[in-house]
Amino acid sequence: MSAARSSRHTICAGIYISEVTSGGAAENAGLKSGYVLTSFDGHSITSTSELKSLLQYYSAGETVEVEVQVPDNGSYETKTFSLTLGTSISSSDDQQSDSQQNAGSSRSAEGGNTLTSATPSI
């Protein structure tokens, strides 16, 4: 969704966090479902593919700053969290099968968390 269009609908450009795994890295950092991830370690992100591209350069155990938009009475408030990266819970076979099943989808599971692009590809 474009920034202009998202502002009319009070939806932020970024990645909507639809589910957070109990005990996972996101929950431990304080992230909750309903937040919109807009920046990862200083890099603006608007899609799950951008996030996946960035994640390849990081290792489990590294701590990064993430910026999210938090719902607040019909609008969003920007907050920054420190997130210590965990490991993916899927094996490479599971990831290949998952990517085949979700080809063309904007949904992605990262480290057990469910993310949906709030900014669909054009």
Side-chain angles (χ1 to χ4, degrees):
M1 183 175 291
S2 71
R5 185 173 173 202
S6 66
S7 67
R8 285 184 281 163
H9 297 283
T10 64
I11 297 173
C12 304
I15 302 172
Y16 180 78
I17 302 171
S18 56
E19 184 178 336
V20 175
T21 302
S22 179
E27 182 184 63
N28 292 340
L31 300 175
K32 299 180 190 292
S33 65
Y35 289 6
V36 178
L37 181 64
T38 57
S39 176
F40 180 88
D41 201 27
H43 300 275
S44 178
I45 54 173
T46 59
S47 70
T48 55
S49 60
E50 287 177 337
L51 178 59
K52 284 182 180 183
S53 292
L54 285 172
L55 285 171
Q56 69 183 338
Y57 299 106
Y58 295 85
S59 300
E62 286 188 66
T63 300
V64 297
E65 298 292 311
V66 295
E67 192 170 275
V68 298
Q69 298 296 310
V70 177
D72 183 27
N73 295 322
S75 63
Y76 286 87
E77 177 184 348
T78 301
K79 290 191 177 181
T80 302
F81 293 85
S82 291
L83 174 69
T84 301
L85 301 175
T87 58
S88 176
I89 59 172
S90 302
S91 70
S92 60
D93 290 339
D94 291 341
Q95 288 174 352
Q96 181 178 6
S97 173
D98 184 50
S99 65
Q100 289 171 347
Q101 291 173 359
N102 291 321
S105 171
S106 63
R107 286 180 74 94
S108 172
E110 295 297 333
N113 300 302
T114 304
L115 308 171
T116 305
S117 180
T119 313
S121 301
I122 298 175

